[in-house]
Amino acid sequence: MALLTAFFCTVLSPLVTAVIAVNYTTHIQPSQTAQSENSVQQGKALYDAGRFSEAVKVLQQAATAFKASGDKLNQAMTLSNLSLVYQQLGQWTQAESAITQSLNLLKNDDNSKQRFAIFAQALDVQGRLQLARGQTTAALSTWQEAAKIYKQIGDEATLTRNRINTAQAMQALGLYRQASKTLTSVQQSLIKLPDSPLKATGLRSLGNILRVVGDLNKSREVLEQSLAVAQRVQSSTAIGETLLSLGNTALAQGNTQLTLGNTTQAEKQTQAALKYYQQTALVAQPTTRIQAQLNQLSLLLENQQFSAALALASQIQPQMSKLPASRTTVYAQINYAQSITQLRQKTNTDNPSWLDIAQMLSGAVGQARNLKDLRAESYALGTLGGLYEKTGQLSEAQNLTKQALFIAQTLEPEDIAYQWQWQLGRLLKAKGDIKAATAAYDSAFKTLESLRGDLVAMNPEIQFSFRESVEPVYRGLVDLQLQSQGNSETTQYNLTQARNVIESLQQAELNNFFRSPCVEPRVTIDTALGQDKKAAIIYPIILPDRIEVILTLPGQKELRKYTTAIRQEKVESTVASLRKDLLQVEQTFQVQQQSQEIYDWLIRPMEAEFTKNEIKTLVFVLDSELQNIPMGVLYDKQQQKYLIEKYALALTPGLQLFDPKPLQKVPLNALTAGVGEKRFGFPALQNVPRELEEIKSEVPRSEELLNQKFTENNLQKELQSVPFSVVHLATHGEFSSDPEKTFILAWDKLLKVKEFDSLLRVSESSRSSNIELLVLSACKTALGDKRAALGLAGVAVRAGARSTLASLWSVDDQSTADLMSEFYRQLKNGASKAEALQRAQLAVFKKENSPYYWAPYVLLGNWL
């Protein structure tokens, strides 16, 4: 009786790989297979221990033995497991070969349940390989094929695992609604299963995926269910691993709250994470315990609890040497070395010494080499190079970094190569070799660009923060490009490249915001400039020691650059202060004081060019914090005029737009919807009925959904039934850097950004053209959230609308109704969208001088 075991088939998660065992039996003579089965079990033990190169040898021997005995089913299963080990090692060609052999062995006329089960599991492994290599659509198709087999043979447990994998592929493709439905059904299926370690593992894997896609509350809920199951079946391993996952989710929630400016809630979540890590350390197996303690150490350092961090570091150190040789151990050593390096720098302690840390990392390099684990070796070498960078030993650092990079470039995907290219760039810059540094940064940028669609879905063993480990690569390259000296042609090339790099950064930020690749815009902004000879593009870039502003003028290929020496901290504090003053009706004088500084940085250096070229419209591609303030409020102290009094204004999230068309050439028909009554704790907007009625008087071809009629289903039906050129929503809403807190209020629910995005995408299939104008009236950016405009840009880009009109803060709804009425009147009279908004704002300005009333409205996208 031989045991066919799919012990390597995994539930995929970018943060956790959970091993699930599924057993099948078939009648084969034990004498033929006993030794081979022992080899397979030995391979499993080596795999679980992270000793992948040794596992390869053992499994290769087992596969050869099964082949010799004619045992095709066990040979196929062993080859599937061998493919998974190769995937862990990043040896994609061997992984592809092994799984192909496995599938070929299983394509026969054997209709036994065992053959079907092993074939489905081999498809699961193939799907894992396809997803890891960026072949997301193929992975989805493969897993769906496997699912049909699991249903056919009634294997509910493995089908559940398969559905989690499928949901991850859907998420990577941006199919949120389908992924959400799949995950919901997965949760229900898991709950129906009897309590077992498998059930606890499945729920934990689901909870980890929910954390990755940004649904943190649901992640915590599912992980708590997993913990309850693990406790009922008394699985100490499952309890420890789930507590660790709960700590990671609490930590993610704390970081989110910190981004949003909710320091009290952030502290609460941080304390919860620490508690989970402490509980993990009490019950978990040694490897999981070390991971929890290392996470706890990192968190203590982040919160500047240095005495507690020192005490914990001294507890961890003696445990490190007792861990068995494995990839996990190598990563633990790297993680520990990084933390104690931080601890040394922040506390000025000499214990452990730089030499002690270097020796630990050298030991990690040696262990990785003994394991023949190239990925782990690259991490260890690169981290050791980073240590030498910190101690000023630049030549040694450069040598080690080059070694790490050489190895990383042999692996697929190249998700760690960019880190060493970036590190090499920093080292070369420190040595004064600007040309070589620029080339190294450019390589890092190109690597990130090749990975951009996969940054969310890939499985980095050492997690990175976007703000700390991705954004600096883009900004560092731009800094070097704009410093470079050369002839006119070289200067123009560098300006174009710098602009394109920041454009790519903004696209990457949106990908990171949505946890998936965004819709790619279709036409360069220069196409719109060709249609509007009186518009100029202003592209400010904030760097550590200056603001660089790149200007594009109509009909001129040559870009112009204006530099203002100003510290980034000064820019950020001025913008934050201005934003705060804008929300106070009586702070008009303070607004003018703050905004005239920004006017002098961004506008004054190029005013002569505007006059010379008879510019009437300014289009801004804004960088970071500048996105949170309206450009119309910038104040010219010499002429005593706001910018909106001099120019029509528009914003664009990047240098590309959906095919721009003047609105005058498009027949206007509008879908208007609004909630004017109190709902879900939001105050009434009494002028919403009037606002919608006045739009109807200006745009007679209108459909209206007011109050109870404005539901998710009704909105979807209307969007599917008629190709509206204008969609106008007058209701509460908020834009945030957290997609879970970016929403629009409908009568029956808060439509979160991903749901709203799905509604608009569903409507795309039923309409022949884009929505020309999406208006989000009474919405606002989240107070205290420095990156809140990400939510606004995300809605604008993902909606597929050519233009989006929104407000950065919610104002008196009578002023809003007046402004919107005038805006549509001007559109009907033939004004461009930017001109119509300018005239509408000036009409309100005549009645209400305070910028609070007229300034918050911004137009994103096509301004024609």
Side-chain angles (χ1 to χ4, degrees):
M1 182 84 66
L3 210 61
L4 294 171
T5 309
F7 51 76
F8 293 162
C9 287
T10 59
V11 173
L12 300 179
S13 164
L15 300 184
V16 170
T17 303
V19 178
I20 292 182
V22 184
N23 298 330
Y24 297 91
T25 57
T26 184
H27 295 283
I28 299 174
Q29 292 300 318
S31 58
Q32 295 176 319
T33 61
Q35 186 176 352
S36 301
E37 285 181 32
N38 287 337
S39 295
V40 172
Q41 291 304 318
Q42 186 185 354
K44 171 179 170 33
L46 291 166
Y47 180 91
D48 289 343
R51 295 162 65 180
F52 301 120
S53 291
E54 294 170 69
V56 165
K57 292 180 182 177
V58 171
L59 290 173
Q60 284 174 334
Q61 292 169 359
T64 301
F66 283 131
K67 181 179 180 180
S69 65
D71 186 350
K72 290 187 177 181
L73 289 183
N74 268 326
Q75 182 189 356
M77 178 57 71
T78 304
L79 286 166
S80 292
N81 290 332
L82 186 59
S83 176
L84 277 168
V85 184
Y86 280 132
Q87 289 176 45
Q88 286 285 356
L89 290 166
Q91 296 178 9
W92 305 107
T93 303
Q94 295 92 323
E96 184 75 52
S97 174
I99 196 59
T100 300
Q101 289 179 58
S102 175
L103 289 167
N104 287 338
L105 284 168
L106 293 165
K107 290 176 181 176
N108 55 50
D109 296 328
D110 178 6
N111 291 322
S112 68
K113 182 176 180 180
Q114 289 87 351
R115 203 271 303 182
F116 279 122
I118 294 169
F119 184 56
Q121 291 166 19
L123 289 171
D124 274 345
V125 174
Q126 184 183 43
R128 184 192 196 283
L129 176 62
Q130 289 165 332
L131 186 68
R133 303 191 78 175
Q135 300 163 7
T136 314
T137 304
L140 182 58
S141 176
T142 300
W143 281 328
Q144 288 171 338
E145 185 182 348
K148 291 177 185 176
I149 299 173
Y150 290 131
K151 287 178 184 175
Q152 182 182 335
I153 64 177
D155 186 351
E156 189 64 32
T158 316
L159 175 60
T160 298
R161 181 197 65 221
N162 170 277
R163 283 175 173 163
I164 296 175
N165 292 342
T166 303
Q168 187 182 342
M170 288 174 174
Q171 177 266 326
L173 286 169
L175 304 173
Y176 293 112
R177 183 160 289 215
Q178 297 93 315
S180 178
K181 286 181 180 177
T182 301
L183 289 174
T184 301
S185 68
V186 163
Q187 186 179 4
Q188 292 168 349
S189 299
L190 281 168
I191 289 170
K192 289 177 185 175
L193 292 174
D195 285 351
S196 66
L198 173 106
K199 180 177 178 179
T201 300
L203 285 167
R204 184 175 71 252
S205 299
L206 176 58
N208 286 327
I209 286 180
L210 287 166
R211 178 174 65 249
V212 171
V213 301
D215 196 342
L216 300 179
N217 290 331
K218 197 69 178 288
S219 170
R220 187 192 68 244
E221 175 190 315
V222 173
L223 288 171
E224 286 171 347
Q225 293 172 356
S226 173
L227 180 61
V229 173
Q231 289 170 334
R232 287 197 292 271
V233 299
Q234 298 181 344
S235 169
S236 60
T237 299
I239 291 170
E241 290 176 351
T242 307
L243 285 168
L244 177 61
S245 291
L246 277 164
N248 292 340
T249 293
L251 181 59
Q253 287 180 307
N255 288 338
T256 298
Q257 292 298 329
L258 197 60
T259 303
L260 296 171
N262 301 331
T263 52
T264 303
Q265 284 298 316
E267 175 61 23
K268 185 177 178 182
Q269 292 297 339
T270 297
Q271 291 305 315
L274 284 170
K275 187 175 179 181
Y276 281 127
Y277 293 145
Q278 289 163 352
Q279 290 175 328
T280 305
L282 293 175
V283 300
Q285 301 296 323
T287 302
T288 307
R289 179 170 65 244
I290 283 286
Q291 288 176 321
Q293 288 178 320
L294 289 170
N295 287 0
Q296 185 183 348
L297 178 59
S298 177
L299 195 50
L300 290 170
L301 286 169
E302 194 175 309
N303 288 277
Q304 300 187 357
Q305 299 178 33
F306 298 128
S307 58
L310 280 166
L312 181 59
S314 63
Q315 292 176 32
I316 295 172
Q317 190 168 10
Q319 298 178 57
M320 299 293 290
S321 58
K322 297 177 183 177
L323 292 175
S326 70
R327 171 183 285 184
T328 304
T329 300
V330 174
Y331 290 149
Q333 290 171 327
I334 293 169
N335 192 333
Y336 182 66
Q338 289 173 323
S339 290
I340 58 178
T341 297
Q342 277 187 293
L343 194 56
R344 263 195 63 111
Q345 290 177 311
K346 291 179 178 179
T347 61
N348 294 318
T349 180
D350 292 328
N351 187 27
S353 67
W354 291 123
L355 181 60
D356 290 337
I357 301 172
Q359 287 177 338
M360 177 182 294
L361 287 171
S362 296
V365 172
Q367 193 171 112
R369 284 175 177 164
N370 289 336
L371 292 166
K372 295 183 173 58
D373 191 329
L374 293 176
R375 182 172 288 268
E377 183 183 350
S378 179
Y379 269 126
L381 281 166
T383 306
L384 183 56
L387 178 68
Y388 280 120
E389 179 188 11
K390 287 182 174 66
T391 58
Q393 297 168 273
L394 300 185
S395 296
E396 293 88 344
Q398 188 172 331
N399 181 39
L400 288 162
T401 304
K402 284 182 175 178
Q403 291 180 51
L405 177 57
F406 178 79
I407 294 171
Q409 289 174 324
T410 67
L411 306 173
E412 287 185 59
E414 293 183 19
D415 53 315
I416 57 173
Y418 92 90
Q419 297 177 51
W420 312 140
Q421 289 162 335
W422 175 31
Q423 185 163 290
L424 184 60
R426 296 196 308 269
L427 291 165
L428 291 164
K429 183 181 178 183
K431 294 174 86 171
D433 191 345
I434 300 301
K435 185 177 180 180
T438 305
Y441 265 91
D442 189 52
S443 296
F445 162 69
K446 286 174 180 171
T447 301
L448 278 173
E449 284 295 279
S450 72
L451 296 170
R452 190 167 73 185
D454 304 317
L455 277 177
V456 177
M458 66 176 46
N459 181 14
E461 287 85 352
I462 296 178
Q463 300 170 35
F464 58 79
S465 154
F466 182 88
R467 295 296 306 280
E468 294 173 359
S469 303
V470 177
E471 184 174 343
V473 177
Y474 291 84
R475 293 197 179 279
L477 175 56
V478 168
D479 195 353
L480 288 166
Q481 285 170 330
L482 294 180
Q483 284 183 42
S484 297
Q485 303 296 318
N487 57 31
S488 176
E489 185 178 337
T490 302
T491 299
Q492 284 300 305
Y493 174 80
N494 286 333
L495 287 175
T496 302
Q497 287 297 98
R499 206 176 62 158
N500 291 341
V501 171
I502 289 292
E503 167 83 356
S504 295
L505 169 61
Q506 294 185 340
Q507 189 71 41
E509 284 182 313
L510 288 173
N511 290 353
N512 191 58
F513 171 77
F514 275 101
R515 302 293 201 277
S516 90
C518 279
V519 174
E520 295 289 343
R522 299 164 190 166
V523 177
T524 65
I525 205 168
D526 298 329
T527 304
L529 270 189
Q531 298 181 53
D532 187 351
K533 304 295 186 184
K534 302 297 182 184
I537 313 295
I538 300 172
Y539 209 124
I541 301 171
I542 301 173
L543 295 171
D545 58 348
R546 66 198 191 278
I547 292 180
E548 301 274 19
V549 184
I550 300 174
L551 173 65
T552 305
L553 292 166
Q556 299 185 25
K557 291 185 177 180
E558 190 171 292
L559 298 174
R560 298 162 191 266
K561 179 171 75 90
Y562 302 87
T563 305
T564 301
I566 185 86
R567 299 294 303 175
Q568 183 175 347
E569 295 81 2
K570 169 65 173 172
V571 176
E572 291 175 353
S573 64
T574 304
V575 170
S577 181
L578 172 58
R579 167 74 186 192
K580 189 175 178 181
D581 288 338
L582 281 166
L583 301 180
Q584 306 298 320
V585 176
E586 70 282 357
Q587 295 287 84
T588 300
F589 176 74
Q590 288 85 347
V591 166
Q592 291 176 351
Q593 290 290 105
Q594 302 278 0
S595 67
Q596 69 185 24
E597 284 193 84
I598 303 173
Y599 185 99
D600 290 344
W601 300 336
L602 303 187
I603 306 299
R604 195 169 303 286
M606 58 189 72
E607 281 182 307
E609 292 294 339
F610 296 159
T611 304
K612 179 180 174 182
N613 289 275
E614 299 179 340
I615 298 299
K616 292 183 178 180
T617 302
L618 303 181
V619 182
F620 290 87
V621 186
L622 293 176
D623 190 18
S624 57
E625 275 78 7
L626 288 171
Q627 296 170 357
N628 287 333
I629 56 171
M631 292 294 101
V633 81
L634 300 190
Y635 191 67
D636 180 355
K637 61 188 174 186
Q638 293 179 5
Q639 295 186 13
Q640 297 188 345
K641 285 184 177 181
Y642 292 103
L643 196 60
I644 195 65
E645 296 180 81
K646 301 163 69 172
Y647 303 98
L649 305 173
L651 308 177
T652 174
L655 288 170
Q656 295 180 314
L657 305 166
F658 289 100
D659 190 15
K661 295 179 182 177
L663 195 57
Q664 302 92 300
K665 297 181 181 179
V666 179
L668 281 185
N669 66 325
L671 172 62
T672 65
V675 177
E677 298 179 15
K678 289 183 180 179
R679 205 74 187 145
F680 297 106
F682 291 93
L685 295 168
Q686 296 176 352
N687 280 283
V688 163
R690 177 192 147 211
E691 182 177 332
L692 300 192
E693 193 60 37
E694 292 193 2
I695 294 168
K696 194 169 185 177
S697 69
E698 300 297 342
V699 188
R701 295 175 60 208
S702 298
E703 292 293 330
E704 182 183 286
L705 300 173
L706 179 62
N707 291 330
Q708 291 92 335
K709 293 183 180 179
F710 179 16
T711 64
E712 181 182 20
N713 284 339
N714 287 345
L715 182 62
Q716 183 174 340
K717 286 176 186 175
E718 290 290 348
L719 287 170
Q720 287 179 314
S721 63
V722 178
F724 292 101
S725 58
V726 177
V727 176
H728 183 111
L729 305 180
T731 182
H732 289 286
E734 187 161 284
F735 310 113
S736 165
S737 60
D738 178 3
E740 286 299 300
K741 291 184 169 60
T742 297
F743 63 85
I744 291 152
L745 174 68
W747 181 261
D748 57 336
K749 66 185 296 186
L750 298 183
L751 276 174
K752 293 182 181 176
V753 64
K754 290 182 181 179
E755 296 169 315
F756 185 60
D757 169 48
S758 296
L759 284 177
L760 293 167
R761 284 184 181 231
V762 166
S763 71
E764 282 178 2
S765 60
S766 63
R767 64 175 189 250
S768 57
S769 60
N770 293 74
I771 296 170
E772 295 296 328
L773 178 63
L774 171 66
V775 181
L776 302 170
S777 174
C779 296
K780 63 178 183 178
T781 49
L783 187 62
D785 183 351
K786 292 181 180 180
R787 314 285 285 183
L790 263 180
L792 172 54
V795 171
V797 170
R798 293 297 292 263
R802 296 190 206 281
S803 311
T804 302
L805 175 58
S807 51
L808 297 180
W809 61 89
S810 185
V811 300
D812 171 76
D813 66 326
Q814 182 174 337
S815 298
T816 299
D818 290 342
L819 181 134
M820 292 300 172
S821 177
E822 183 64 25
F823 173 69
Y824 284 102
R825 186 176 300 116
Q826 293 293 335
L827 284 180
K828 191 173 71 171
N829 292 338
S832 71
K833 295 170 191 170
E835 289 169 340
L837 179 58
Q838 179 193 25
R839 293 169 190 174
Q841 286 182 285
L842 291 176
V844 174
F845 178 52
K846 288 178 182 178
K847 298 178 185 178
E848 300 283 359
N849 180 261
S850 172
Y852 171 81
Y853 292 105
W854 57 263
Y857 308 96
V858 293
L859 178 70
L860 288 91
N862 172 30
W863 64 92
L864 301 177

